[in-house]
Amino acid sequence: MSATTVAKPTIDANAAQLSINTIRTLSMDAVQQAKSGHPGTPMALAPLVYTLWNRVMRFDPQDPIWPNRDRFVLSNGHASMLLWSILHLTQTQAVNADYEKLGQPSVTLDDIRRFRQLDSKAPGHPEYHWVSGVETTTGPLGQGVATSVGMAIAQKWLASHYNRPGFEIFDYNIYAVCGDGCMMEGVASEAASLAGHLGLDNLCWIYDNNRITIEGNTNITFTEDVAARFLAYGWNVLSVGDANDIDRIEHALDVFRKTKGRPTFIVLDSHIGYGSPNKQDTASAHGEPLGDEEIRLTKRRYGWPEDAKFLVPDGVYEHFTAGVGTRGAEAHRQWSELFNQYRTNFPGLANEIEFMQRRELPAGWDRNLPVFPADPKGIAGRDASGKVLNILAQNIPWFLGGSADLGPSNKTTLTYEGAGSLQADTPGGKNLHFGIREHAMAAIVNGLSLSKLRAFGATFFIFSDYARPAIRLSALMELPTIFVFTHEAMGDGEDGPTHQPVEHLASLRAIPGLITLRPADANEVVEAYRYILQLRHEPAILALSRQPLPTLDRTKYASASGVARGAYVLADSPGGVPEVILIASGSEVSLAVQAHEKLLGEGIRSRVVSIPSWEIFEHQSQEYQDSVLPPAVKARVAVEQASSFGWERYAGKPGRLNCMKTFGASAPLKELQRKFGFEPDQVVAAAKALLGRN
Ligand SMILES: Cc1ncc(C[n+]2csc(CCOP(=O)(O)OP(=O)(O)O)c2C)c(N)n1
Ligand SMILES: [Mg+2]
């Protein structure tokens, strides 16, 4: 029993050409109307997108989130009109963030008329979460192809975990279209290398080899042998010499589907701005409207009514309905029947799939999470995290992840029996090995998350910079990805300033929608994970210590459950309203507690606020925020071993910032703490200075 045995439609050459030219002319007209955009590549790749969608892909326009659909990624996102045209012509339906069908088209002709305008469902670049049918946000070149590797790993993992003999519940493929820009970006190389290593034969990249980028012909910058590069990565490399030859395109895609053990790379030679008498093969076709006169000339070449705008000729919608529409609906119907039987035979597994698809957690997901006893010597954030990850991965079947070659340092390796390592011949393993490829790792984690797996990626916090573009996209896409960053400050002292993050917290806190968490002790680590796991639409980063942090005595101080409010009063003075507030995160919280005890000893009413997450705190009511940081208490000391940038918002005036203003240095941690002012006496001195008590 397989979900794939679906008859092909008969091919009508005229209807095919008419459909291709509809995609071309819609793209030209939309860019012209918007007075901005990228017409040339949609004109060139219309035959590819037509063939892929109408002849090959298994996609049901009635249900663009059907779990076993083939995935389409437009990595050269500037060619977005390809996607808006095809989503419109296939009459793909809209769904909302709760995965409900809205009974309306995803992209209307009116949206296309309003290409790139506010609220149009045809924005400048493909945006997941804004337009149904977009599988991932693209635009930053290279991200789409890198993310597609995560989608391919996810499909392999899902198939390995859920398919049973006679029940191919997951057997979809991933297609990604890319251009010269994607091929030049390092992230694509990182991802392609890993895809080759993993032998992802469900993955097909189609490279638009038009030899044009913005500055002109690629002979000014890009003269390597791309095909040879992919051969060296271990890919199956095919070539189609004419982007207008839809039979050869179909044939290459057919070869892809029959190729086992390797991903496929199709080099497609194309002419940007195809058909434009004066602009074909020029860089100006890349990113400028053709102009009214050139559009008329081009339409004449296509045999198109010269003055018609946004024309969808009779029969074109019907042609797509007869192609992808019918094939997708039938494949979906067969799959649903199969899944019904599967549910009868394997109710537990079916249940998991349904939970996962809605981004819900299984019952008992947080059972056995550790509670750490008070311990002045304590435990490192990364070690506490390792214990939690190992429990979560056992409680949540579809929770998995790995590190960029730092598993033993990040403590992210899943060590329980049966966790397994994800490799080509063991695609169901839960330990991913990303190699030293942080950027691709983050994009791949996005791809896993887009495939509804709960995934984490890990490295040293300092190298979050290498992953940042993909972290930004996970926030933009509203994905619940998890990034585990250890060695979050100067804890690896002797490694020196190249390994000591300073501005990283500030820069990640600046990404809208991203939740950053820097827990103070082992129990805050547990609570941070408890919070993160319940997120459905926000990514989170964890900044964890390398060195042991004292496990605070929660009978004396407030419960770590305060993490769920972002900041909480950890320690207070017995005598009512505090005179001074010490605000700290992560490793500096126990330092603040020591300073607090000294201040109390000197009769100064101090309060310690642990603030693991600015973002969560700022989601709380004003009343709660004011109860933690009473506006009347102006004497405040912020203590964080990171850039002071932004801390004014909590320390206020005349508050003191006990933070970093320079890079760190290479020395044992204790010496660095002294040099940079992270000792209790220095915090006490700052507090007393504020109170005029020196
Ligand atoms: C990371 C990144 N850098 C730069 C850009 C700006 N940009 C958009 S398209 C483009 C040229 C892309 O050339 P190619 O991929 O060959 O696309 P074509 O013009 O052939 O469609 C550039 C530099 C971008 N979108 N992303
Ligand atoms: Mg190009």
Side-chain angles (χ1 to χ4, degrees), residues 269-290:
D269 296 342
S270 83
H271 296 279
I272 195 166
Y274 174 80
S276 161
N278 301 302
K279 298 212 167 168
Q280 179 177 314
D281 296 321
T282 68
S284 79
H286 162 91
E288 292 167 21
L290 294 177

Side-chain angles (χ1 to χ4, degrees), residues 549-632:
L549 302 178
T551 305
L552 296 162
D553 180 353
R554 299 288 173 169
T555 58
K556 183 167 178 200
Y557 303 116
S559 158
S561 61
V563 170
R565 310 199 79 172
Y568 62 103
V569 178
L570 176 70
D572 223 349
S573 59
V577 184
E579 291 168 86
V580 61
I581 307 178
L582 313 178
I583 316 166
S585 84
S587 45
E588 286 69 68
V589 171
S590 50
L591 164 66
V593 168
Q594 289 174 54
H596 165 80
E597 299 293 351
K598 289 192 175 206
L599 290 167
L600 288 188
E602 294 184 32
I604 295 173
R605 294 193 314 277
S606 91
R607 163 180 288 192
V608 177
V609 169
S610 173
I611 179 162
S613 174
W614 290 16
E615 300 82 14
I616 301 173
F617 184 52
E618 284 168 25
H619 287 159
Q620 308 305 311
S621 67
Q622 193 60 49
E623 196 186 353
Y624 177 75
Q625 294 184 42
D626 289 348
S627 74
V628 175
L629 297 174

Side-chain angles (χ1 to χ4, degrees), residues 398-561:
W398 55 94
F399 182 90
L400 78 180
S403 168
D405 200 47
L406 288 169
S409 289
N410 299 142
K411 309 287 182 190
T412 44
T413 309
L414 304 174
T415 51
Y416 64 89
E417 190 168 345
S421 164
L422 192 148
Q423 291 293 332
D425 52 358
T426 52
K430 297 241 258 178
N431 282 295
L432 275 70
H433 301 281
F434 293 104
I436 305 133
R437 304 180 181 100
E438 296 82 6
H439 195 178
M441 171 177 75
I444 288 168
V445 168
N446 287 348
L448 296 167
S449 181
L450 287 161
S451 311
K452 306 284 175 71
L453 298 179
R454 208 61 206 277
F456 69 87
T459 183
F460 289 157
F461 194 28
I462 190 82
F463 303 130
S464 60
D465 280 342
Y466 276 45
R468 185 178 169 87
I471 298 174
R472 179 178 196 273
L473 279 190
S474 67
L476 180 56
M477 288 193 269
E478 304 184 10
L479 298 178
T481 48
I482 302 168
F483 298 99
V484 180
F485 295 133
T486 68
H487 300 56
E488 40 58 276
M490 290 193 291
D492 58 350
E494 294 87 339
D495 273 336
T498 60
H499 280 56
Q500 293 161 355
V502 172
E503 72 282 19
H504 299 72
L505 270 171
S507 81
L508 290 164
R509 282 170 180 154
I511 296 181
L514 177 68
I515 306 285
T516 66
L517 277 146
R518 186 170 182 251
D521 73 349
N523 289 311
E524 279 203 9
V525 171
V526 176
E527 295 309 311
Y529 274 109
R530 196 191 303 280
Y531 184 88
I532 289 171
L533 264 290
Q534 295 176 75
L535 296 170
R536 292 172 75 224
H537 296 296
E538 292 102 349
I541 71 117
L542 265 168
L544 299 169
S545 76
R546 172 203 189 222
Q547 74 278 20
L549 302 178
T551 305
L552 296 162
D553 180 353
R554 299 288 173 169
T555 58
K556 183 167 178 200
Y557 303 116
S559 158
S561 61

Side-chain angles (χ1 to χ4, degrees), residues 200-471:
L200 299 174
D201 53 19
N202 54 355
L203 178 65
C204 180
W205 289 6
I206 302 125
Y207 165 39
D208 175 29
N209 181 34
N210 64 11
R211 298 174 193 278
I212 291 287
T213 66
I214 290 176
E215 292 188 7
N217 192 288
T218 51
N219 60 21
I220 61 170
T221 47
F222 193 51
T223 47
E224 71 194 34
D225 186 339
V226 179
R229 198 173 110 200
F230 277 75
L231 280 173
Y233 289 145
W235 288 52
N236 171 39
V237 177
L238 306 174
S239 157
V240 174
D242 176 2
N244 287 316
D245 190 337
I246 56 179
D247 292 330
R248 286 199 52 200
I249 292 173
E250 187 177 10
H251 178 67
L253 294 169
D254 205 40
V255 172
F256 152 63
R257 287 189 294 172
K258 293 187 175 127
T259 301
K260 296 293 159 227
R262 287 179 293 169
T264 289
F265 185 72
I266 302 175
V267 182
L268 180 71
D269 296 342
S270 83
H271 296 279
I272 195 166
Y274 174 80
S276 161
N278 301 302
K279 298 212 167 168
Q280 179 177 314
D281 296 321
T282 68
S284 79
H286 162 91
E288 292 167 21
L290 294 177
D292 288 325
E293 184 51 24
E294 191 67 12
I295 285 180
R296 258 193 292 278
L297 295 174
T298 309
K299 286 182 178 167
R300 192 181 302 165
R301 282 264 176 102
Y302 295 155
W304 204 257
E306 287 173 29
D307 292 315
K309 288 209 171 96
F310 300 101
L311 174 66
V312 180
D314 287 348
V316 169
Y317 294 117
E318 292 76 3
H319 182 61
F320 281 103
T321 303
V324 60
T326 307
R327 198 178 57 250
E330 178 56 16
H332 189 178
R333 192 192 59 74
Q334 287 185 20
W335 184 88
S336 300
E337 264 176 31
L338 188 69
F339 191 72
N340 282 339
Q341 272 176 273
Y342 180 84
R343 191 187 287 109
T344 309
N345 294 14
F346 310 102
L349 292 177
N351 210 21
E352 281 184 20
I353 293 172
E354 284 169 343
F355 265 72
M356 182 191 346
Q357 291 300 320
R358 292 193 303 267
R359 295 203 189 283
E360 282 168 20
L361 292 165
W365 67 273
D366 61 349
R367 67 172 170 251
N368 303 332
L369 282 178
V371 177
F372 292 90
D375 176 3
K377 279 201 307 297
I379 167 171
R382 57 176 173 159
D383 285 313
S385 161
K387 290 189 196 307
V388 175
L389 286 172
N390 270 279
I391 287 164
L392 291 173
Q394 292 177 75
N395 291 349
I396 306 168
W398 55 94
F399 182 90
L400 78 180
S403 168
D405 200 47
L406 288 169
S409 289
N410 299 142
K411 309 287 182 190
T412 44
T413 309
L414 304 174
T415 51
Y416 64 89
E417 190 168 345
S421 164
L422 192 148
Q423 291 293 332
D425 52 358
T426 52
K430 297 241 258 178
N431 282 295
L432 275 70
H433 301 281
F434 293 104
I436 305 133
R437 304 180 181 100
E438 296 82 6
H439 195 178
M441 171 177 75
I444 288 168
V445 168
N446 287 348
L448 296 167
S449 181
L450 287 161
S451 311
K452 306 284 175 71
L453 298 179
R454 208 61 206 277
F456 69 87
T459 183
F460 289 157
F461 194 28
I462 190 82
F463 303 130
S464 60
D465 280 342
Y466 276 45
R468 185 178 169 87
I471 298 174

